[in-house]
Amino acid sequence: MKSQVIQYLSNLEIALRVNQLWEATAPSHEALANDQPFCVETLTPTQWLQWIFIPRMRAILDANTNLPRNFAITPYLEEALKNEGYLQTICEPLLDLEKLLKD
């Protein structure tokens, strides 16, 4: 399962890069520390994926601790990015990940 998670996270990163959404410079520490779900007040959905979600998932994998289960990120992305042409490309690896980590 770990290798599948790594693959899906890589696929998500590739989707962000292909759609020119991968950023070279991190948002401010304050923006990253926002306590709202998905940092909605300070980050775009794609920034949250790049700077919060992917690094945290990789840290969990590196630490060999239990992966989160039964989470749903795609409904948020489908609403927040509903007018974006890249929505499907971004959601595909996340849907795969959500299905894999569902009990």
Side-chain angles (χ1 to χ4, degrees):
M1 180 188 322
K2 182 177 179 177
S3 64
Q4 286 177 292
V5 172
I6 291 168
Q7 185 61 57
Y8 295 150
L9 290 173
S10 293
N11 291 349
L12 177 57
E13 180 177 336
I14 290 166
L16 290 168
R17 287 181 184 276
V18 165
N19 288 283
Q20 299 175 346
L21 299 166
W22 195 261
E23 298 179 354
T25 305
S28 71
H29 176 72
E30 293 79 18
L32 294 169
N34 184 275
D35 63 357
Q36 293 297 308
F38 306 105
C39 299
V40 295
E41 294 175 345
T42 57
L43 299 179
T44 67
T46 56
Q47 286 176 317
W48 181 83
L49 289 170
Q50 178 182 351
W51 300 105
I52 305 286
F53 180 72
I54 293 173
R56 285 188 183 169
M57 290 295 286
R58 288 183 173 154
I60 290 168
L61 290 167
D62 290 345
N64 287 318
T65 58
N66 291 334
L67 289 161
R69 309 294 273 182
N70 300 315
F71 60 87
I73 297 169
T74 52
Y76 162 64
L77 293 177
E78 288 170 345
E79 179 59 29
L81 303 174
K82 62 186 170 192
N83 296 322
E84 301 296 339
Y86 55 78
L87 174 63
Q88 184 67 31
T89 309
I90 301 297
C91 284
E92 282 180 23
L94 277 171
L95 283 169
D96 292 337
L97 193 58
E98 290 170 358
K99 288 175 191 170
L100 179 68
L101 296 175
K102 190 173 179 99
D103 284 340

